Amino acid sequence: MSLSDSRLELVQGDITKVTADAIVNAANSALVGGGGVDGAIHRAAGRELLEECRTLGRCPTGEARITQGYKLPARHVIHTVGPVWQGGGRGEAGQLARCYQSVFALVEKHGLRTVAFPSISTGVYGYPLEKASRIALREIRAALERLPSVEKVTVVLFTPWDLEVYRRALAGEPEPEGGLGR
């Protein structure tokens, strides 16, 4: 469903089913699993993922850590901790951008060619989807320009609504006043 780069794809689905060099986990700072995407990835990967995460210590907001994928179809999981939305005036946009930058630094370091992202921070962390989608796509496009070795970035959205918001952002449509609502 890419509108501007054959290496960028938007899909609705379950990120735990994606075959890629790495999938990205919207993790909590303790890296021990939780709700939403984080819990689903931990459940699908199996106990070994939690055991490896425990050896990594904490992960501050905006940073990323890499582990094996274990029972997932992805070889690796890159865990990143997004910001909790506090109204937008506390550096949330920069922190969210750093999540993507940190993930791509690990993609480059480990020579990964395919990576799948969820919508980071838009679940229980409350980041507005319209705003987060634009930051995500800006950072993904910048990484694709900088890293020709990356063959495919897939953004896996959980609901049709999430996919539509990302599709509009990818098409360059202006962010609606007050958001689109659900």
Side-chain angles (χ1 to χ4, degrees), residues 118-178:
S119 185
I120 297 168
S121 280
T122 59
V124 297
Y125 283 12
Y127 209 110
L129 185 62
E130 291 88 358
K131 294 181 184 320
S133 67
R134 292 166 194 282
I135 293 168
L137 292 169
R138 181 191 72 217
E139 294 302 326
I140 290 168
R141 284 176 166 151
L144 286 170
E145 281 186 31
R146 191 175 58 79
L147 301 171
S149 62
V150 175
E151 296 169 2
K152 177 70 86 177
V153 175
T154 305
V155 182
V156 183
L157 292 312
F158 192 65
T159 70
W161 172 253
D162 298 338
L163 178 61
E164 178 62 14
V165 170
Y166 269 76
R167 186 203 64 76
R168 287 173 180 259
L170 185 62
E173 294 178 20
E175 188 176 328
E177 289 294 319

Side-chain angles (χ1 to χ4, degrees), residues 14-24 40-41 43-46 49 67-77 114-116 156:
D14 178 348
I15 198 165
T16 68
K17 309 271 191 244
V18 173
T19 300
D21 290 339
I23 63 171
V24 176
I41 288 173
R43 284 188 299 278
L49 179 60
T67 62
Q68 295 300 311
Y70 299 101
K71 295 177 184 171
L72 292 162
R75 290 185 320 161
H76 298 280
V77 177
T114 58
V115 61
V156 183

Side-chain angles (χ1 to χ4, degrees), residues 50-134:
L50 177 60
E51 290 171 6
E52 184 176 355
C53 283
R54 284 184 174 148
T55 69
L56 300 176
R58 297 184 67 78
C59 182
T61 300
E63 293 188 15
R65 305 287 187 265
I66 190 168
T67 62
Q68 295 300 311
Y70 299 101
K71 295 177 184 171
L72 292 162
R75 290 185 320 161
H76 298 280
V77 177
I78 300 176
H79 309 265
T80 191
V81 180
V84 174
W85 180 254
Q86 299 179 58
R90 299 196 175 190
E92 295 99 312
Q95 291 172 330
L96 186 58
R98 280 192 297 284
C99 288
Y100 290 91
Q101 295 161 6
S102 296
V103 167
F104 280 111
L106 289 174
V107 165
E108 183 177 25
K109 179 180 178 182
H110 292 275
L112 307 179
R113 298 190 177 277
T114 58
V115 61
F117 284 87
S119 185
I120 297 168
S121 280
T122 59
V124 297
Y125 283 12
Y127 209 110
L129 185 62
E130 291 88 358
K131 294 181 184 320
S133 67
R134 292 166 194 282

